[in-house]
Amino acid sequence: MKKFAILITALLVFSAILLSACGSADTTAKLAGTSWKLVSYGPKDAQIPAADGIDTRMDFGTDGNVSGSMGCNRFSGPYSQKGDSITFSAIAATEMACPEPQMTQESNAFQVLVGSVKIEQSGTSLTIFSADGTSKLVLAKIEAGL
């Protein structure tokens, strides 16, 4: 009986260690090395479809930098991901003027990519919520080689 109690205790301790390790794992690899195309943007409950025929791209590098274009200017800067949060730091962008709807689309996107924001990833869809939760970007994954 004493051996059984020791075995059960050891199993419980081992299980707790495994669960603890899983809960504290760095999840940066989720977005690192992936690319996304803008699908829609704007208010959380009134999304505006991304402009037709305008190339958009958001690349999360394995080096901790994000770069891309939301339709007009190129942007880049550091990011870090922890669980369902991304922190964008010092995103820099070129400053060209572009016609509508590109400028509005880009302006809305850049307003979301500030500070620490929440994300939801489901399959080939990524949603990035603004820090205040009122706006979001919805992106579709770009498969490697495209």
Side-chain angles (χ1 to χ4, degrees), residues 37-41 48-56 70-72 99-103 105:
K37 179 177 178 57
L38 185 65
V39 173
S40 63
Y41 64 92
I48 301 162
D52 284 335
I54 305 299
D55 288 331
T56 61
M70 286 295 136
C72 181
E100 292 298 336
Q102 290 154 281
M103 289 305 295
Q105 176 174 286

Side-chain angles (χ1 to χ4, degrees), residues 63-81:
D63 61 355
N65 285 299
V66 64
S67 62
S69 172
M70 286 295 136
C72 181
N73 290 287
R74 301 279 311 149
F75 69 89
S76 65
Y79 81 95
S80 61
Q81 180 187 357

Side-chain angles (χ1 to χ4, degrees), residues 1-13:
M1 187 65 156
K2 187 174 184 179
K3 287 182 183 179
F4 182 75
I6 292 172
L7 178 62
I8 293 297
T9 303
L11 286 173
L12 288 173
V13 169

